Amino acid sequence: MACIECIWAKDNKFLVNPDGQVWPCCYLSNQGFKFKEKGQWNDPDIIARGVNDIVNPIMQKYWEWEDELNINNHSLAEILNHEWFAKTLPDSWEGDNPHRICVMMCDKDG
Amino acid sequence: MSGKNTMSIYDLSKKPIAWIDISTYCNAGCPQCHRTDPNGLGKIGWLPLIQWSLETFKKAWTIENLNAISQFEICGTWGDPLMCKDIYKICEYIIKESDVSILMNTNGGMRDDDFWWELGLLGDKNRMQIIFDVEGINQEMHSHYRRKVNFEKLKQNIQSFTAAGGNALAHVIVFKHNEDYIEQILDMCYNELDMTHHVVQLSNRFGESGKEEYIDEKGNPFILEESSLPVGDPRFELPAPHRDHKWWKEKGHALVLPHLDTERNM
């Protein structure tokens, strides 16, 4: 199991993309922004193929709550305390299916 | 909101740092940037053109939200923040309406020296720092990577900014073509451009070959090569050759980054 310590959270830093979406780091945000603009995050073919960067539960949950995680819609406190930042993401680091990028960038044992 | 509040991964009592991307516009065509199409160095096709206006910024970053953070890092993953038409007004709003400090990256090749003078007057040295990319001592060397950036204009802009009291950091990415000129670049940055601090780092975006082929804006092929300097080369840790020590001692250097992370404004 990976031992993930988010380096951005450790620095108490988060990111807001040009579309207003709030993300925990540039690595996930760059992917998220690209997937959204290319329409890949909800592409049935890609999802059917099980491409993990897209079907990983933290990403699918993010898109489910997309509007709630946008600074144009909600206050910063509401967003940073949102379940996605407070439970979904940190719980994924403790589970058996963390996002590939979290492992690649923030696995202390990696 | 449907997401229930539990415990954030952030310590909100310590006012987090907000990294914000407010522009996908850019005047340059840096080959290793996420924004750049390697075939012609234009914008990649899928990227929409976005720039935040003052109105948009104030709606998202209310006084309540400003008071919740300590610092903006306005980096420019997908574009240069100085390309926002309202960037001066956005900085003015942040400076006047909050205690939030601003760190902002730019290639520095856009706008005129009047703009940079006014921006230099706006920011207290401990409230705003501009991080300029400087990777050469002449046009040919600088724009081997910083494509479409006019080197003399960049220098004039930095000079206007620092002459007005602006706090300017030199960000030097090292490649094969400039690895033997780091000392000269830093000498120019401090002694000619009156910059405050510097960070020298290797590009980390090469594959195993250490060479990448591109097609430039005129349709000509060119090669970008990785530096041969080892990570521990002392040139990455060179001291500042000159600095405004009076300010440095009196005001501290609260805004100077200990390091720049590797995703920053390539």
Side-chain angles (χ1 to χ4, degrees):
Chain A
M1 181 182 288
C3 183
I4 294 167
E5 183 178 47
C6 174
I7 52 178
W8 277 58
K10 194 177 172 188
D11 288 343
N12 216 24
K13 183 158 82 171
F14 63 91
L15 187 148
V16 184
N17 257 344
D19 59 3
Q21 293 300 140
V22 180
W23 289 90
C25 68
C26 62
Y27 311 110
L28 288 175
S29 80
N30 288 355
Q31 264 208 349
F33 188 50
K34 192 188 298 185
F35 292 159
K36 181 181 169 187
E37 291 300 331
K38 287 183 164 185
Q40 291 177 339
W41 72 271
N42 60 354
D43 183 319
D45 290 339
I46 293 175
I47 290 173
R49 277 190 274 141
V51 176
N52 189 261
D53 281 11
I54 288 174
V55 301
N56 187 285
I58 68 161
M59 298 305 271
Q60 288 300 312
K61 275 288 187 187
Y62 189 95
W63 298 121
E64 187 181 315
W65 284 322
E66 178 184 6
D67 290 343
E68 298 179 13
L69 298 170
N70 192 301
I71 197 160
N72 294 312
N73 304 328
H74 289 279
S75 76
L76 195 59
E78 286 174 322
I79 293 170
L80 298 183
N81 282 312
H82 188 280
E83 183 174 341
W84 192 86
F85 279 103
K87 186 166 173 44
T88 308
L89 181 64
D91 281 1
S92 75
W93 300 331
E94 306 291 331
D96 57 4
N97 187 24
H99 196 282
R100 178 184 65 88
I101 286 178
C102 295
V103 176
M104 184 170 70
M105 303 309 302
C106 294
D107 182 0
K108 286 199 293 185
D109 299 331
Chain B
M1 296 177 79
S2 57
K4 294 174 185 172
N5 290 358
T6 48
M7 187 161 178
S8 176
I9 57 174
Y10 302 103
D11 184 347
L12 302 183
S13 71
K14 289 184 179 170
K15 293 196 174 186
I17 296 167
W19 172 313
I20 57 174
D21 277 318
I22 57 175
S23 167
T24 63
Y25 286 78
C26 193
N27 55 311
C30 308
Q32 294 185 319
C33 178
H34 297 307
R35 182 184 190 277
T36 304
D37 183 341
N39 186 6
L41 307 182
K43 179 182 74 63
I44 45 174
W46 61 265
L47 183 67
L49 283 170
I50 299 170
Q51 63 169 313
W52 285 43
S53 66
L54 175 65
E55 185 182 1
T56 308
F57 191 89
K58 288 171 78 171
K59 184 168 175 283
W61 289 98
T62 59
I63 301 298
E64 178 193 354
N65 282 348
L66 288 180
N67 287 334
I69 63 168
S70 61
Q71 185 167 288
F72 279 118
E73 293 188 9
I74 311 178
C75 171
T77 305
W78 302 106
D80 196 299
L82 270 297
M83 291 294 286
C84 276
K85 287 178 184 169
D86 284 349
I87 191 63
Y88 178 88
K89 292 176 183 172
I90 289 171
C91 291
E92 185 180 46
Y93 168 68
I94 296 166
I95 295 284
K96 289 190 174 174
E97 302 295 336
S98 76
D99 293 325
V100 177
S101 58
I102 302 169
L103 285 171
M104 186 156 55
N105 285 76
T106 182
N107 66 64
M110 72 294 283
R111 299 178 177 270
D112 61 20
D113 50 6
D114 280 348
F115 168 85
W116 288 100
W117 172 266
E118 295 298 329
L119 195 65
L121 289 177
L122 178 63
D124 177 294
K125 280 188 165 76
N126 278 325
R127 288 292 305 280
M128 183 166 74
Q129 182 176 57
I130 306 294
I131 301 165
F132 291 90
D133 299 304
V134 187
E135 280 134 19
I137 54 171
N138 54 41
Q139 181 69 53
E140 183 184 4
M141 192 189 303
H142 183 70
S143 62
H144 190 74
Y145 183 71
R146 296 290 162 192
R147 295 275 160 163
K148 309 181 202 174
V149 175
N150 183 302
F151 184 65
E152 287 305 317
K153 187 169 179 58
L154 165 65
K155 286 170 61 180
Q156 286 170 12
N157 288 344
I158 297 173
Q159 281 172 327
S160 287
F161 179 72
T162 57
N167 179 344
L169 183 148
H171 181 211
V172 185
I173 300 179
V174 180
F175 300 90
K176 185 75 175 173
H177 66 268
N178 64 0
E179 65 183 13
D180 294 327
Y181 296 89
I182 298 172
E183 289 97 332
Q184 290 95 320
I185 292 170
L186 295 182
D187 181 66
M188 177 189 73
C189 288
Y190 285 89
N191 292 317
E192 192 177 336
L193 306 178
D194 205 19
M195 300 180 87
T196 302
H197 199 71
H198 68 273
V199 173
V200 179
Q201 66 179 172
L202 289 166
S203 166
N204 69 340
R205 294 190 181 172
F206 284 97
E208 283 188 9
S209 71
K211 288 186 181 179
E212 289 178 350
E213 294 179 11
Y214 297 94
I215 305 294
D216 73 12
E217 62 274 28
K218 294 174 183 167
N220 301 315
F222 73 99
I223 292 175
L224 191 66
E225 286 189 72
E226 189 172 22
S227 169
S228 59
L229 298 182
V231 173
D233 191 282
R235 278 169 281 188
F236 293 111
E237 300 295 335
L238 285 170
H242 164 76
R243 174 180 285 142
D244 179 353
H245 291 284
K246 186 165 178 283
W247 165 74
W248 194 261
K249 286 178 181 172
E250 285 178 357
K251 287 207 152 190
H253 44 87
L255 279 181
V256 173
L257 293 173
H259 67 281
L260 294 179
D261 78 52
T262 52
E263 286 299 302
R264 183 172 287 273
N265 202 41
M266 289 287 288

